[in-house]
Amino acid sequence: MNALVDAVLAQRGGERSALVGEGFRHSQDAVLRMACARAALLGERLAGAAYPHVGLLLENTPEYVCWLEAAALAGATVVGINPTRRGPDLLRDIRHTDCALLVTEQRLLPLLAGLDLAGRTVLVVDGPDFAATLLPYADAEPPRPLPAPDTRLLLTFTSGSTGAPKAVMCSQGRLARAGDKLRAQYGLTDADTGYACMPLFHGNALMGLWSPLLLAGGTIALRRRFSASHFLDDVREFGACYFTYVGRAVSYVLATDTRADDGDNPLRLGFGTEAGAVDARRFEQRFGCRLVEGYGSSEGGCNLRQDPAAPPGAVGRTGSGPNDDLAVVDPETGAECPPSRTDAAGRLLNGDEAIGELVNRNARAGFEGYWRNEEAGSARLRNGWYWTGDLFHRDADGWFHFAGRSADWLRVDSENLAVADIENILARWDPAVAVAVYAVPDPVAGDQVMAAVELRPDVFLGTGQEQLAASFARFLAAQPDLGTKMPPRFVRFVSRMPVTATHKTAKTGLRAERWDAVGADLVLWRPYERQTADAAPVYRRFEPSDREKVAALFAEHGRADVIRRDLGARNAVERKQVPEQG
C-alpha cells in the first residue's frame, strides 16, 4: 500500500477545491486529471534518462503541485530548484541531481540563460507551445503499475550555509508518514484549508503542509511568494485555518501595521521552526492563532514537536526507557551530557557541561541519505548514531532545549553559551524585529558574542545612535536571565536581516563581515578596556580607529592571523535579500 499515491487517486470525481490562490480555483478531480496528463508526459520524456529526475524551477503555483502529484504517480523524482540561486551555482544544482527534464515558467526562464543544459529538456509551462505538448495526454489514466512506497519522490536541498547544498533523498513512504503524523496530531480534515506561503521547493512546505493536507483531502491555498502584507488578507479570503512557517516569516507578519480586526480570522494553528518564543506569544495575542514550534530537518533523522506542557524554551521530549533514542552528547567523546540546570531567573548554570550535540541512537530513523554524497551521509551516520549537527541541552525532566547550530557554538571565557538562549532574550527588546547571535573571535582566546538586530523602520531611521545605545543597554540590564557573559560585545543594527530563500537567517555573511559596518548599518560595541564581567553594559559607536585598536590587540596576543582576511573571499560573500514584504 502506498498512502501518498492513494491520496492522489482519492481525488477522482471530487468537487471540493484542492487548490486555490491568486486568481484560480481547481477542484480535486481537475487536479488529478492534470497530474495524470503530466505523469504520462513524464513517462515518455524520462524513459531513456539515466535517472527519472525532473527539476521544478517554479514559484508556488498550481503547476508545482500538479507536477508533484504527477511524479508520485509516475515514480519519478522531483528536484526542487531554488530560484534564488544563480549562474554556476544554479547549474551545479541541476547537474548534481541529474535532472533530465526541467520545468519552469517564463518569468524564471532568464535564470537558465547562458547555462550549459546540453542533454536536458526544458518545458515552459506558460509558454506558447506547452498546451500543444500536453494535448496528447489530456485523457491519460494513472500509469500502471503504480510505484511502491520506497520509490524516491524528492531531492530537497539543504541551505548550503557551510558549503555546496546537499540534496536530501526522500521516498514516498517517508513523506506520507511525516504528513500523516501531522494530519493526525493537528486534526486536519477534508474541511480544512492550509495556506502555503513558504516555498514548495523546501521541506517545510512539502512535509508540513502539502503532504498532510493531501492525505486529509483538504484544500491548499497558494501564494507565489511569501508576502507579509498579503498574509492576513489571503488567510481570510481562502478560509485558511493552518499554515507553516520558517525563520523570519512570523517576524515579518508581526511587523505589518496593526489593525483593529487582526483577531477576526479563521486561523487556529501555525507549525514551523525558529519563530522564537517572543514572536510566538505576540502572534497568538494579535491573531488568536497558536504557533507550534518544532525541531527537525530535511534529512528526517530527528524530529521534536512542542508539547503544550513544555516549560519555556523547550522544544519537546521523548519517552523514557529503551525506546528513548534521542540524547545530548559530547561531540568529542560521545558521552551523554549531564542534565542542564537553571537558576530561579532561568539562567543556564552549567552550559559548559550540559550543551552537546543532539543524536538519534536509532541511526536510520528517517534519514535516507544524500544524493551522490556518501561522505556527507557517513558524517551524519557515525558509530551507529544519527548526528544532527545541532546543539542542545536537556533538563532533568527530559525536556530538550535548542542551543544553536553547530556553527553557532560560542565559547566565552572558557564557558559554552547557547546562541538560542541569547537570541530569545534579545528578541524581547521592543524595537527588535529579528535577532541573530553569532561568534566573533576574541583577541586572547575563544569567542566574543556579536548580535545583528533588525529594527523597526521607525526606530532605525528616527533614533539617534546614543539614544539607541542607551536604550539597548537599559534593556539588557533589566533582563534577569541574562548571564554575565551573554551581553553582546558587538551589536550591528540593520534595516533588513539577511535571509535565505527559505526565510532562515543567513549568518554566513554576518560572520565574515564581523564588526565591519556595511552600508547604512550601525555597529556599536563595549570597548574591552571599559568593561568587566559584572559591569552594566555601556555601548558606543564602533569607529574606524576602534578597528585599528582591535587589530592591534589581536597582534599583541599573537592572533593576527585570526582576523586576517582574504579580500577576494570577502567580496564573494553574498548577503541575500529578504523575500518580498509588500
Side-chain angles (χ1 to χ4, degrees):
M1 177 180 176
N2 188 336
L4 198 75
V5 168
D6 290 345
V8 172
L9 296 178
Q11 298 176 110
R12 186 180 294 277
E15 297 180 356
R16 287 194 304 272
S17 295
L19 297 176
V20 297
E22 304 165 79
F24 61 84
R25 184 174 293 271
H26 301 301
S27 70
Q28 293 173 319
D29 188 67
V31 170
L32 176 59
R33 285 188 282 108
M34 289 188 284
C36 287
R38 286 154 182 76
L41 178 60
L42 284 176
E44 181 177 296
R45 295 296 178 94
L46 298 177
Y51 301 97
H53 294 183
V54 51
L56 299 187
L57 180 59
L58 299 167
E59 292 181 339
N60 283 14
T61 63
E63 283 290 346
Y64 207 119
V65 174
C66 289
W67 285 99
L68 279 171
E69 297 191 11
L73 295 175
T77 301
V78 164
V79 180
I81 304 296
N82 184 342
T84 68
R85 302 272 282 174
R86 297 291 187 273
D89 291 338
L90 180 60
L91 182 60
R92 178 263 173 198
D93 292 350
I94 294 168
R95 286 179 171 174
H96 175 69
T97 51
D98 297 293
C99 291
L101 176 66
L102 290 172
V103 178
T104 189
E105 51 189 312
Q106 292 191 80
R107 66 192 297 168
L108 298 178
L109 190 57
L111 298 181
L112 300 176
L115 301 186
D116 182 6
L117 300 174
R120 295 170 174 85
T121 302
V122 178
L123 290 178
V124 184
V125 294
D126 54 352
D129 302 325
F130 183 66
T133 300
L134 207 59
L135 186 60
Y137 313 102
D139 298 320
E141 288 294 313
R144 292 287 188 267
L146 291 167
D150 60 356
T151 304
R152 186 173 58 250
L153 177 62
L154 301 174
L155 291 179
T156 56
F157 285 107
T158 60
S159 63
S161 58
T162 57
K166 299 180 285 290
V168 181
M169 296 189 286
C170 179
S171 66
Q172 297 201 22
R174 179 189 154 204
L175 184 60
R177 289 190 296 273
D180 197 51
K181 188 172 183 178
L182 286 176
R183 177 202 60 77
Q185 185 169 355
Y186 300 135
L188 298 173
T189 71
D190 58 6
D192 290 329
T193 296
Y195 180 47
C197 54
M198 295 291 98
L200 285 168
F201 63 77
H202 189 254
N204 169 271
L206 294 173
M207 297 182 181
L209 194 137
W210 175 66
S211 176
L213 264 298
L214 174 68
L215 292 166
T219 303
I220 296 172
L222 298 173
R223 160 67 58 177
R224 266 189 173 272
R225 290 179 295 163
F226 170 73
S227 171
S229 61
H230 285 92
F231 178 86
L232 190 57
D233 290 338
D234 284 350
V235 162
R236 287 171 170 163
E237 179 181 354
F238 305 126
C241 65
Y242 174 77
F243 75 103
T244 60
Y245 61 87
V246 176
R248 302 269 62 89
V250 168
S251 296
Y252 296 138
V253 174
L254 289 171
T256 60
D257 292 338
T258 303
R259 289 155 38 175
D261 62 348
D262 278 342
D264 181 15
N265 66 74
L267 287 175
R268 71 170 185 259
L269 183 69
F271 170 68
T273 60
E274 301 180 26
V278 173
D279 278 355
R281 186 165 56 250
R282 291 172 178 169
F283 195 91
E284 183 168 7
Q285 290 171 348
R286 179 172 170 182
F287 299 106
C289 173
R290 182 169 64 97
L291 299 186
V292 178
E293 280 278 303
Y295 166 80
S297 65
S298 300
E299 287 88 345
C302 174
N303 291 281
L304 287 165
R305 294 187 177 88
Q306 193 181 64
D307 187 309
V315 295
R317 64 178 173 181
T318 61
S320 58
N323 294 322
D324 186 0
D325 293 320
L326 301 185
V328 177
V329 304
D330 184 319
E332 296 295 328
T333 66
E336 190 161 357
C337 297
S340 55
R341 296 179 285 106
T342 56
D343 62 16
R347 283 187 292 258
L348 181 63
L349 298 176
N350 62 333
D352 190 55
E353 62 175 0
I355 295 175
E357 185 169 348
L358 182 68
V359 301
N360 190 332
R361 290 176 288 203
N362 179 1
R364 278 288 176 184
F367 180 54
E368 296 176 337
Y370 297 114
W371 180 256
R372 291 192 180 281
N373 198 335
E374 291 185 8
E375 182 179 353
S378 297
R380 287 288 185 193
L381 302 175
R382 306 194 309 272
N383 303 324
W385 293 353
Y386 174 85
W387 296 73
T388 66
D390 290 330
L391 305 176
F392 276 76
H393 56 91
R394 190 180 194 181
D395 64 31
D397 295 321
W399 294 102
F400 290 92
H401 300 254
F402 180 65
R405 307 297 179 188
S406 56
D408 288 338
W409 187 278
L410 276 170
R411 191 165 178 83
V412 179
D413 292 339
S414 300
E415 181 177 326
N416 292 334
L417 299 181
V419 165
D421 289 348
I422 304 174
E423 288 178 339
N424 287 335
I425 293 171
L426 299 188
R428 300 171 192 159
W429 190 37
D430 185 64
V433 173
V435 175
V437 171
Y438 45 97
V440 292
D442 180 86
V444 179
D447 304 317
Q448 285 289 328
V449 180
M450 184 162 184
V453 180
E454 178 181 336
L455 298 171
R456 297 197 321 262
D458 60 309
V459 175
F460 187 79
L461 297 174
T463 305
Q465 63 186 49
E466 292 183 3
Q467 182 182 354
L468 194 63
S471 172
F472 185 67
R474 285 195 302 271
F475 162 78
L476 292 179
Q479 306 310 303
D481 53 345
L482 187 74
T484 58
K485 297 175 183 176
M486 287 182 172
R489 175 69 63 182
F490 299 90
V491 186
R492 165 174 282 145
F493 294 109
V494 300
S495 58
R496 291 287 176 88
M497 188 72 74
V499 296
T500 68
T502 53
H503 310 279
K504 295 182 179 180
T505 301
K507 294 184 181 180
T508 304
L510 293 171
R511 290 192 193 97
E513 293 158 0
R514 295 172 181 161
W515 41 74
D516 292 338
V518 175
D521 293 358
L522 169 66
V523 177
L524 303 179
W525 78 314
R526 297 184 294 119
Y528 294 104
E529 68 275 10
R530 293 178 55 188
Q531 303 279 239
T532 60
D534 57 352
V538 177
Y539 290 89
R540 66 171 176 80
R541 186 185 184 104
F542 188 75
E543 304 286 358
S545 59
D546 293 322
R547 188 177 188 278
E548 296 174 4
K549 294 176 183 177
V550 170
L553 277 175
F554 276 85
E556 178 184 341
H557 293 281
R559 282 167 60 85
D561 59 316
V562 175
I563 60 169
R564 189 176 293 117
R565 188 176 313 244
D566 181 341
L567 292 178
R570 183 184 172 207
N571 292 335
V573 171
E574 177 184 1
R575 294 193 66 184
K576 296 182 182 296
Q577 298 297 311
V578 298
E580 175 193 0
Q581 300 303 307

